[in-house]
Amino acid sequence: MTAEQNTPTLSVPPSGSPAGAVYADRGSSHFDILLAAMVTVVVLSGIGAAKGVSFGTIPGIGFEIITDGGFFLFPLAYVLGDIITELYGARSARRAITTSFAVSILASISYQVIIALPPFPDDYGLAKQEALELALGPVWIVVLAGLAGFLVGQSLNSFVVTRMKQRMGERGLIARLFTSSGLGELVDTIIFCSIASVAIGITSIEQWAEYTILGVLYKVLVQYAMIPVTSAVIRWLKRTDPTYQARLAGR
């Protein structure tokens, strides 16, 4: 039995105030689905983020809207991380994170092997080889950036959720999501943009700053906008998970 599965020993005070954290059993089918979703999002984000995207410059201030092709996917990884941490605990979240990046690393190695294989010698084969080199060649840099940023940011995110839940018990879900999401995304984005900027073609400090500032604002705002959905999903999963309900009833 893992640490987060132990029944909390704190008692419920007469006032009804929170009395320790309750977690579901990782063996439930929900965890498998959430883990598969997180792995998929991380792998696809690694491919998409190798492409630099520019939506033009904001008139009057000259701020270029720079991002990458995975911008619409990556916030979902944090949403899934929040759900896994809240429902299954920090150890399960770490397992989901490491599994996601192990698969992503395997994928990036596979891309390099595919690129290294000899292409057809005709014009079409050589053109496809060049396209693969341009599209998939830099993915390993993005994966490295994502690994560094996501491991630090998501670990901070999970740490904050876990510590706040230990103090507040089952109450304060919205506060946990707001606090952890902002801190995690801020640290993650700074690390990620600093490493991945080379892969997507950023060549100046100004572009890096625009890329990073926009990344932080976008990811945090999406996280916050998704909190009602995230909290609703978490509450639904808690209601429908028999192991969580059993531990909640027996605490």
Side-chain angles (χ1 to χ4, degrees), residues 1-8 21-28 31 84-85 87-95 166 243 247:
M1 183 175 291
T2 57
E4 72 261 26
Q5 294 170 348
N6 292 332
T7 303
V22 177
Y23 295 109
D25 189 335
R26 195 168 56 217
S28 70
F31 181 77
I84 292 172
T85 302
L87 191 60
Y88 299 102
R91 183 175 296 182
S92 296
R94 286 193 295 270
R95 173 171 290 197
Q166 288 171 350
T243 63
R247 291 195 172 94

Side-chain angles (χ1 to χ4, degrees), residues 90 131 164 169 202 207 227-228:
M164 291 183 69
I202 288 176
Q207 283 186 318
I227 280 178

Side-chain angles (χ1 to χ4, degrees), residues 35-46:
L35 175 61
M38 178 173 277
V39 170
T40 301
V41 167
V42 171
V43 171
L44 292 178
S45 295

Side-chain angles (χ1 to χ4, degrees), residues 24-162:
D25 189 335
R26 195 168 56 217
S28 70
S29 60
H30 291 152
F31 181 77
D32 295 339
I33 295 171
L34 292 168
L35 175 61
M38 178 173 277
V39 170
T40 301
V41 167
V42 171
V43 171
L44 292 178
S45 295
I47 298 173
K51 175 182 177 177
V53 175
S54 175
F55 289 105
T57 302
I58 299 176
I61 64 174
F63 186 94
E64 187 178 2
I65 305 174
I66 296 175
T67 184
D68 57 65
F71 78 95
F72 65 97
L73 282 169
F74 202 71
L76 295 176
Y78 267 83
V79 171
L80 292 167
D82 285 339
I83 294 172
I84 292 172
T85 302
E86 176 68 24
L87 191 60
Y88 299 102
R91 183 175 296 182
S92 296
R94 286 193 295 270
R95 173 171 290 197
I97 294 167
T98 54
T99 300
S100 297
F101 276 97
V103 175
S104 193
I105 290 170
L106 175 61
S108 64
I109 293 173
S110 299
Y111 303 151
Q112 297 305 313
V113 173
I114 293 169
I115 290 172
L117 293 173
F120 282 1
D122 57 14
D123 291 342
Y124 179 72
L126 294 175
K128 182 179 287 187
Q129 173 69 17
E130 184 179 359
L132 284 171
E133 290 175 359
L134 288 172
L136 298 180
V139 168
W140 72 269
I141 302 176
V142 176
V143 169
L144 175 63
L147 179 62
F150 193 65
L151 282 178
V152 176
Q154 185 62 260
S155 296
L156 177 61
N157 183 71
S158 298
F159 174 78
V160 172
V161 170
T162 303

Side-chain angles (χ1 to χ4, degrees), residues 162-184:
T162 303
R163 291 301 294 269
M164 291 183 69
K165 187 169 183 178
Q166 288 171 350
R167 293 185 178 184
M168 304 172 70
E170 294 307 300
R171 295 182 180 177
L173 172 60
I174 301 298
R176 288 195 292 276
L177 295 178
F178 263 97
T179 305
S180 63
S181 297
L183 289 174

